Amino acid sequence: MKPGAVIFLIFAWHGSASADMTGVAFEISDMDSDWKFADGTRAAKTNSLSLQIEESTASGLTVGGGIGYLTMRVGGDSTTPSTKFEAEYLQVYLRQDFRLGESTAIEGLLSYGYHTGRENTETDRAEIEWSQVALEIGLSFQVNNLRITPFVGYANVDGDISGTEGSGAFELEDPFNQGVRFDVFVETTAFIRIQLQTGSQSGGYLSFVRRY
């Protein structure tokens, strides 16, 4: 299914859902990934900014979407030069929390993102596009105004670079990752999140979140 169709279907369902809670988040990330091409593995470093908006349905399932901007450097090797890109992306996600007690919960997250961009040069600009489907499962513990959530995740990346010597299809070398999130509540409905992770995509996120 094409990215546009996926986004349309999820937001169409989202619009018909009965919402009882809304949320918004601003996110900054710094991530390193290993992308596997046909002729070898190349390192990619990404810095991004994103804005996310979400609603919770009557069943407790949260449906969200976001837009973002990123800069990326895809490393080279002995035959391929490094390449810098600027890109935008759209994301949709589903999140479900299962309460186990007053301060513990299992958190599940399924997301889809579509990215498209071009080389950061004036002429002969290469193009890049990729999609990512990600699944995360975490167990959260909250003490006073601090919530800690260890998690494990799986990500499937399907992408392509065209127009340079380093052209070709790519995917993640290792689809698995793990990490921990720290949520510091500054108000009942607002918190600052720091997320650290290793594996297929290693690095960190800083988020400012409000959920009503």
Side-chain angles (χ1 to χ4, degrees):
M1 183 177 290
K2 293 184 178 181
V6 174
I7 294 171
F8 174 79
L9 289 175
I10 292 180
F11 275 106
W13 176 81
H14 174 210
S16 64
S18 175
D20 59 13
M21 183 178 72
T22 60
V24 62
F26 176 71
E27 185 176 86
I28 305 168
S29 73
D30 183 355
M31 303 297 294
D32 295 312
S33 306
D34 289 327
W35 285 355
K36 184 171 65 176
F37 291 79
D39 57 354
T41 300
R42 302 169 65 188
K45 182 174 182 60
T46 305
N47 299 104
S48 69
L49 303 172
S50 69
L51 177 66
Q52 302 167 351
I53 298 175
E54 62 184 37
E55 291 185 1
S56 181
T57 68
S59 65
L61 177 68
T62 297
V63 182
I67 57 175
Y69 167 82
L70 61 87
T71 60
M72 170 183 293
R73 180 182 182 276
V74 181
D77 52 31
S78 59
T79 60
T80 304
S82 298
T83 311
K84 294 182 178 180
F85 294 95
E86 296 179 349
E88 301 82 34
Y89 64 93
L90 296 173
Q91 179 191 43
V92 291
Y93 60 89
L94 303 174
R95 191 182 70 248
Q96 180 76 61
D97 296 344
F98 302 94
R99 303 298 305 179
L100 301 179
E102 185 176 342
S103 59
T104 60
I106 294 175
E107 300 180 1
L109 176 69
L110 176 64
S111 66
Y112 172 86
Y114 177 70
H115 310 68
T116 180
R118 73 288 318 155
E119 190 177 2
N120 187 13
T121 59
E122 294 297 330
T123 59
D124 298 327
R125 303 174 75 183
E127 296 185 349
I128 186 171
E129 66 174 350
W130 75 96
S131 61
Q132 174 173 306
V133 178
L135 174 66
E136 285 185 5
I137 298 178
L139 179 61
S140 68
F141 308 85
Q142 185 166 347
V143 179
N144 298 323
N145 67 330
L146 176 63
R147 181 169 61 203
I148 302 174
T149 308
F151 66 88
V152 294
Y154 172 87
N156 179 60
V157 169
D158 181 14
D160 182 78
I161 297 176
S162 61
T164 70
E165 297 177 9
S167 298
F170 61 85
E171 61 185 15
L172 280 176
E173 184 176 48
D174 176 8
F176 297 99
N177 59 72
Q178 56 281 321
V180 61
R181 289 189 288 268
F182 301 93
D183 298 335
V184 181
F185 283 82
V186 294
E187 297 179 13
T188 303
T189 60
F191 59 88
I192 299 172
R193 167 170 291 178
I194 299 173
Q195 176 172 315
L196 305 173
Q197 67 182 62
T198 60
S200 62
Q201 296 165 311
S202 61
Y205 293 84
L206 174 63
S207 306
F208 303 90
V209 185
R210 182 176 290 277
R211 293 176 183 163
Y212 302 97

